[in-house]
Amino acid sequence: MPIDVDKALGAPPATREIAWTGRDVLLYHLSLGAGADAASDPELSYTYERGLRVLPTFAMVAGQGVSSGDRPPTAMSMPGIDIDLRRILHAGQALTVHRPLPAAGRAVVSSRVANVWDKGKAAVIEMEQSATDGEGVPLWTTTMRIWARGEGGFGGEPGPETPWSEPDRAPDFVLDSPTTPGQALLYRLNGDLNPLHADPGFARAAGFDRPILHGLASYGVVAKAIVDGVLGGEVTGLTGLSVRFAGVLFPGETIRTSVWREGDRLVFRSTCPERGDAAVLTHATAETS
């Protein structure tokens, strides 16, 4: 069986050291669409090394980009888990940043499988990660949920329900973020080389008409939209972001994000207007300072 739940949950945390440079940050921002209208608005604070600001969601790719070399993936593999990439989808993501991220730096990252839920026809694998600087000061923590098709039915717990609802009023902001046809090809250079986002044959074998945009690309695009459209461009104002990936986005489509303010907390959802406002991100909240 590809998932050995006891082995996965009992494995000690995996620890590694990572490093990144300003070039990694610049590539990340460009892959989210920063500077797309370079003639009139080059967004230099995202796209030029002088005075470079770092979106907090860069934490999701730190240490995996151009500075780390080539590591083509073939499977999701860790103690107790070995699953073909064609059987997995990114189901949800949460991030908390504990301090502003530097444009270049190093960190110690600790990762573990926190839960494995049985959804019948699929399993949900919940992974936790924490990062600290060289002195042990926390930088960020993340929780990632992976949907593994065909891996359920092992008699485990289905996992907790996550109540969520949007306010019963018009949104305070509606933010449109166009993507480009080649955006997934650029975003994958941040480290996620899953062929699902590049190879049409692989995408069809996984059940999609064509390659899809990375869930974390949509996540970053929406984070940038919130920073720019709600927080006045202040990257340090966004301290947390939690979403459920409810549907795919194809490169070239638009992400429309409706945002409601509730104190220091934002409630939002993202849809694709080209496909009748099909859901892209739901159960979505952002923490601000």
Side-chain angles (χ1 to χ4, degrees):
M1 182 177 175
I3 298 181
D4 182 330
V5 175
D6 291 338
K7 185 175 182 180
L9 297 179
T15 302
R16 60 192 176 96
E17 295 184 4
I18 64 170
W20 64 92
T21 71
R23 291 190 180 189
D24 297 300
V25 176
L26 291 170
L27 173 61
Y28 177 70
H29 290 163
L30 291 171
S31 74
L32 300 181
D37 187 14
S40 62
D41 184 7
E43 296 191 300
L44 291 182
S45 62
Y46 292 124
T47 60
Y48 184 48
E49 56 273 17
R50 185 176 297 170
L52 180 62
R53 298 178 301 163
V54 183
L55 283 169
T57 49
F58 173 73
M60 307 310 308
V61 303
Q64 303 174 50
V66 292
S67 296
S68 66
D70 291 333
R71 296 174 295 149
T74 58
M76 180 181 178
S77 184
M78 61 194 71
I81 298 174
D82 187 11
I83 304 171
D84 188 287
L85 288 176
R86 287 170 292 190
R87 301 175 71 87
I88 68 173
L89 288 173
H90 200 158
Q93 185 67 56
L95 165 70
T96 299
V97 287
H98 305 293
R99 55 189 291 197
L101 302 184
R106 294 180 174 274
V108 177
V109 177
S110 178
S111 305
R112 71 184 185 96
V113 176
N115 291 292
V116 180
W117 306 116
D118 189 347
K119 298 296 185 179
K121 294 183 178 180
V124 171
I125 302 161
E126 187 176 77
M127 300 174 59
E128 292 183 351
Q129 184 186 89
S130 61
T132 60
D133 67 11
E135 298 180 353
V137 177
L139 293 173
W140 67 79
T141 56
T142 71
T143 302
M144 175 186 293
R145 289 189 173 185
I146 300 296
W147 181 272
R149 292 177 291 180
E151 302 299 334
F154 53 82
E157 294 293 326
E161 292 296 324
T162 307
W164 180 89
S165 62
E166 60 191 48
D168 186 20
R169 57 183 172 85
D172 297 303
F173 304 89
V174 177
L175 313 169
D176 278 358
S177 305
T179 67
T180 65
Q183 194 150 349
L185 299 176
L186 181 58
Y187 186 87
R188 67 195 302 266
L189 299 181
N190 293 303
D192 185 348
L193 297 176
N194 187 337
L196 177 63
H197 308 293
D199 184 338
F202 190 98
R204 286 192 294 270
F208 301 101
D209 293 337
R210 58 191 187 275
I212 63 175
L213 191 65
H214 303 67
L216 284 181
S218 298
Y219 186 79
V221 167
V222 169
K224 181 177 181 297
I226 289 173
V227 167
D228 294 343
V230 180
L231 303 180
E234 183 52 65
V235 295
T236 60
L238 182 63
T239 59
L241 196 68
S242 177
V243 307
R244 178 180 294 178
F245 297 110
V248 301
L249 193 87
F250 294 101
E253 294 181 329
T254 302
I255 305 175
R256 175 168 293 164
T257 302
S258 301
V259 185
W260 293 263
R261 275 193 184 275
E262 296 200 325
D264 289 339
R265 186 172 180 261
L266 304 176
V267 175
F268 66 94
R269 60 175 165 83
S270 298
T271 61
C272 174
E274 291 91 343
R275 286 186 282 113
D277 278 332
V280 177
L281 306 179
T282 62
H283 289 66
T285 58
E287 303 299 328
T288 66
S289 61

